[in-house]
């Protein structure tokens, strides 16, 4: 979520853009980003692995963030992530 905040701050701090354009671009950014798994996610056991994959694909987490999970789960996620 920090990445989204940084993008938003950069956009709103842009002196070259008029206030109305900043507003509409910020609104579009917030609308698009609020749907990403890195911002908000519903957790359930049945969706756990899919959610982890979404977070990895969106670069909200890395494989290193899974270090506290079981080695079996880490391996399964790595295999599922391969093309």
């Amino acid at each position: 979520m920090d990445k989204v905040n940084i993008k938003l701050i950069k956009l709103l701090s842009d002196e070259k853009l008029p206030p109305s354009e900043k507003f509409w671009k910020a609104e579009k950014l917030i609308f698009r980003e609020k749907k990403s798994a890195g911002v908000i996610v519903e957790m359930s056991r049945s969706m756990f692995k899919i959610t982890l994959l979404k977070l990895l694909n969106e670069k909200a987490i890395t494989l290193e963030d899974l270090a506290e999970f079981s080695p079996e789960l880490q391996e399964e996620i790595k295999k599922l992530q391969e093309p």
Side-chain angles (χ1 to χ4, degrees):
M1 190 156 202
D2 282 339
K3 291 178 185 178
V4 177
N5 289 339
I6 290 168
K7 285 181 191 177
L8 193 55
I9 289 167
K10 184 177 178 182
L11 171 66
L12 295 174
S13 300
D14 189 346
E15 296 293 327
K16 297 174 188 170
L17 295 176
S20 61
E21 192 171 340
K22 289 180 192 180
F23 174 83
W24 291 113
K25 285 186 175 196
E27 191 268 344
K28 185 176 180 179
L29 175 68
I30 291 168
F31 181 78
R32 185 181 67 234
E33 294 291 337
K34 74 180 180 180
K35 294 182 178 183
S36 72
V39 175
I40 188 166
V41 66
E42 291 183 34
M43 288 299 296
S44 68
R45 281 187 160 178
S46 62
M47 296 295 291
F48 180 66
K49 292 174 187 171
I50 293 170
T51 301
L52 286 178
L53 288 170
K54 283 182 181 181
L55 290 168
L56 286 164
N57 289 336
E58 292 179 8
K59 301 193 182 346
I61 63 171
T62 64
L63 288 172
E64 291 79 35
D65 293 322
L66 302 180
E68 294 184 27
F69 290 93
S70 71
E72 294 83 11
L73 177 67
Q74 292 178 49
E75 277 304 310
E76 188 174 352
I77 294 298
K78 285 179 188 176
K79 286 179 183 176
L80 289 170
Q81 201 176 25
E82 293 174 0

